[in-house]
Amino acid sequence: MEEDDNNNDDDFDPDMESEEDSALAAMMRDVQTAKNARDIAKLMDSTEMKSILRDIAHYKTESKSKESEVSGMVEDDPEYQLIVKANTITVAIDNEILVVHKFIRDHYEPKFPELETLVANPLDYARTVKRIANQEDITKVELHDILPSATVMVVVVTGTTTEGRPLTESEWQACEDACNLALDLEKAKQTIIEYVESRLTFIAPNLSAIIGTATAAKLMGQAGGLTALSKIPACNVQILGKDRVLNSALSSASQAKHVGFIYRSPFVMAMPVEVRKKAQKMIAAKLSLAARIDRMHSYPDGSWGRKVKEEIEKKIEKLLEPPPSKNIKALPAPLEAPKKRRGGRRARKEKELYAVSEMQKLKNRVEFGVEEQEIMGYGTTEGLGMLGQNHSGPGTGGRIRAAQQNNRNRGKISNRNAARLAQYGANANANGLATAGTASSIAFTPVQGIELVDPTAAAAKIKAANEKYFGSGGFLKVQGKK
């Protein structure tokens, strides 16, 4: 038998307690017109309550072990039927305590209207009202055995400044009877719960081993018996005994939703708040299985329940473990050896290809105190740095030399083309026609504008002029007179 632990909180039956809620609401409406608390809370004087209390007293006096008698159908055992009735009537007792509490509040309000907001617990409220009674000086009333010290101080200070009036004899008699009725109902409830807890280890051993006899008795009483509890899914088991919001004046900010007897059990309340909801889901799933196991009388010694409880405790411990810490890795030791760099012919060619030329180096430099030359572009100005200044080296003297070819960076050509280029270069040098890279055949004249000229013709003209004037001349050495 397996049950998923991860049940949704909202997967419960909303109509599971609709009849009980409607009956409770009807009794709450009758409180406004009732003159006596016993007119609306009739359970304590009923024949059923008296019969159950009488049977419980009878079985308590018997000193027999139920472990040897629980066999076959558990519903056939008369004491089990008494346990089911007792569990069922505990729910009715809780409802009547709430009704009596409302009756006391409505009838004691003229005397101390602020008390209901200071003491929220119904039984503590009934004890406080019975202790204060109709006294005018609340400072003389001893309340420390009923309420905490902080609450006692607030009640005393508020009671001395309240605008309430003393109650009449009939009004106080109605309040006193209601307080006694509430305390009698609580006493009968405690008697029933103690008896059910003492017998539950034989009726439902695995259920009691997981959650405890007190909570197991409450669950069986709310469900209507062990058989009825075994038929309820785990998502509804976890909200058995959920709180009813009867006082709209109380804040619901601190009220947990979808919680019941399991959440308020000592086993769950001992855990941190952040894991209680998860623990409630796991326990509810296992309790649903335990109820079916006890229904079939399997594991009568409760060994399965103890085993499951140990598993739940281990899961809770796993949830509470802190996350694993990150290991801080130390930085590697620095290596003093030089890094390996790529070398070889290919690396050298790569460096030479992208090497900075001497002209670029001069352009990137600026001499202190000397204005650099600039060239104008399309809306931009670019400085020439030290190019064109009176310095030795390339780029000096005011002229830019022809671009120098670097044979290492030139692309490779075939031998045939290389011979052809060499021949053209030899012919050009033989004729004296070697020109700079910036030479052009286009000339600008003031008459014709752009004019195509022949550089070779201009060179021949200059040569002819030189021959005319300097071709037959020579140097003459003049001797001085002696």
Side-chain angles (χ1 to χ4, degrees):
M1 289 183 294
E2 295 293 336
E3 188 83 16
D4 187 8
D5 292 342
N6 298 326
N7 292 291
N8 195 338
D9 287 344
D10 299 328
D11 285 341
F12 61 88
D13 188 2
D15 300 330
M16 190 166 55
E17 298 177 351
S18 58
E19 295 181 359
E20 297 176 2
D21 293 341
S22 59
L24 180 61
M27 288 191 293
M28 288 293 183
R29 290 192 296 269
D30 295 340
V31 170
Q32 300 176 355
T33 58
K35 299 297 183 181
N36 194 335
R38 295 185 182 270
D39 294 341
I40 53 176
K42 304 177 181 179
L43 181 62
M44 193 64 195
D45 300 330
S46 64
T47 305
E48 182 182 9
M49 174 66 79
K50 294 179 180 179
S51 175
I52 290 175
L53 294 177
R54 184 174 59 252
D55 292 340
I56 288 176
H58 169 70
Y59 281 108
K60 276 187 175 181
T61 57
E62 294 184 358
S63 58
K64 63 180 182 178
S65 175
K66 296 298 295 180
E67 184 176 3
S68 60
E69 296 184 6
V70 178
S71 61
M73 294 294 293
V74 70
E75 285 78 4
D76 296 338
D77 188 355
E79 188 170 3
Y80 172 77
Q81 297 176 0
L82 174 62
I83 292 174
V84 173
K85 291 180 182 179
N87 269 327
T88 306
I89 207 170
T90 54
V91 181
I93 291 175
D94 291 335
N95 293 339
E96 294 227 342
I97 290 176
L98 294 175
V99 173
V100 175
H101 175 237
K102 182 172 176 56
F103 180 87
I104 298 172
R105 284 188 307 166
D106 294 346
H107 288 74
Y108 197 71
E109 185 178 5
K111 173 68 173 64
F112 198 169
E114 299 87 358
L115 184 61
E116 62 178 304
T117 60
L118 302 178
V119 184
N121 185 271
L123 296 174
D124 291 342
Y125 184 85
R127 295 189 184 98
T128 305
V129 170
K130 188 176 180 180
R131 185 69 61 86
I132 296 175
N134 208 14
Q135 299 185 25
E136 295 182 0
D137 191 3
I138 301 180
T139 58
K140 299 180 180 180
V141 180
E142 178 61 32
L143 299 174
H144 289 84
D145 58 335
I146 302 175
L147 302 174
S149 300
T151 307
V152 171
M153 181 180 65
V154 176
V155 170
V156 171
V157 172
T158 308
T160 56
T161 59
T162 184
E163 298 180 356
R165 61 172 179 82
L167 300 177
T168 62
E169 187 65 25
S170 60
E171 289 176 344
W172 166 241
Q173 190 63 38
C175 289
E176 187 178 14
D177 292 343
C179 293
N180 293 331
L181 178 59
L183 297 178
D184 291 341
L185 288 170
E186 176 64 18
K187 184 178 179 180
K189 179 183 176 182
Q190 292 297 329
T191 302
I192 293 172
I193 290 177
E194 290 176 1
Y195 166 73
V196 173
E197 290 178 0
S198 64
R199 295 296 190 266
L200 207 61
T201 54
F202 306 112
I203 301 298
N206 295 283
L207 196 67
S208 302
I210 296 176
I211 198 63
T213 54
T215 307
K218 294 177 182 178
L219 291 173
M220 290 178 58
Q222 187 76 18
L226 183 61
T227 303
L229 181 61
S230 64
K231 296 178 182 179
I232 299 177
C235 56
N236 288 347
V237 170
Q238 66 180 351
I239 53 95
L240 287 176
K242 63 184 178 66
D243 291 330
R244 299 184 182 92
V245 183
L246 299 176
N247 191 355
S248 59
L250 298 178
S251 174
S252 61
S254 61
Q255 297 178 359
K257 297 182 179 180
H258 311 319
V259 298
F261 293 135
I262 299 176
Y263 188 87
R264 292 188 291 271
S265 64
F267 182 43
V268 177
M269 295 303 293
M271 303 176 185
V273 180
E274 59 269 14
V275 297
R276 288 179 184 175
K277 281 292 188 73
K278 295 181 180 179
Q280 178 187 234
K281 292 181 181 181
M282 291 188 289
I283 294 172
K286 299 305 179 183
L287 289 180
S288 182
L289 297 177
R292 298 166 193 173
I293 291 176
D294 292 335
R295 171 68 179 78
M296 301 305 297
H297 306 295
S298 301
Y299 303 97
D301 56 347
S303 59
W304 187 86
R306 290 190 293 272
K307 177 183 175 183
V308 168
K309 186 175 181 180
E310 292 177 358
E311 294 177 355
I312 294 174
E313 291 175 348
K314 290 181 180 179
K315 290 182 180 180
I316 298 301
E317 291 178 0
K318 189 67 176 177
L319 291 175
L320 295 176
E321 288 181 358
S325 59
K326 297 181 179 179
N327 296 328
I328 301 176
K329 296 179 65 177
L331 294 175
L335 300 177
E336 299 298 338
K339 296 182 179 180
K340 294 183 179 180
R341 301 183 182 275
R342 182 176 176 84
R345 185 168 60 88
R346 182 181 300 177
R348 288 194 300 271
K349 285 188 174 183
E350 187 79 13
K351 290 181 180 180
E352 293 172 355
L353 181 62
Y354 296 101
V356 182
S357 63
E358 294 295 331
M359 293 181 61
Q360 187 66 31
K361 290 180 181 179
L362 289 173
K363 182 181 177 182
N364 295 337
R365 297 174 184 172
V366 177
E367 187 176 0
F368 181 76
V370 179
E371 183 179 1
E372 65 173 346
Q373 298 181 8
E374 294 180 348
I375 56 175
M376 302 294 294
Y378 293 97
T380 60
T381 303
E382 185 177 359
L384 298 180
M386 295 179 64
L387 286 175
Q389 298 181 6
N390 296 326
H391 296 282
S392 61
T396 60
R399 293 179 298 176
I400 300 177
R401 298 187 306 170
Q404 298 181 356
Q405 295 180 354
N406 190 351
N407 296 329
R408 295 180 177 180
N409 299 336
R410 286 195 310 177
K412 293 183 178 181
I413 59 176
S414 62
N415 296 333
R416 182 180 179 183
N417 292 334
R420 184 176 300 176
L421 288 175
Q423 183 179 1
Y424 290 156
N427 294 337
N429 292 332
N431 298 329
L433 301 179
T435 59
T438 57
S440 175
S441 60
I442 300 178
F444 293 87
T445 62
V447 180
Q448 298 182 2
I450 299 177
E451 178 183 0
L452 292 175
V453 297
D454 186 4
T456 58
K461 186 177 181 180
I462 294 173
K463 185 177 180 182
N466 290 336
E467 290 292 338
K468 178 180 180 181
Y469 294 102
F470 305 105
S472 59
F475 292 96
L476 179 63
K477 184 177 179 182
V478 180
Q479 295 181 356
K481 296 181 180 181
K482 294 183 181 179

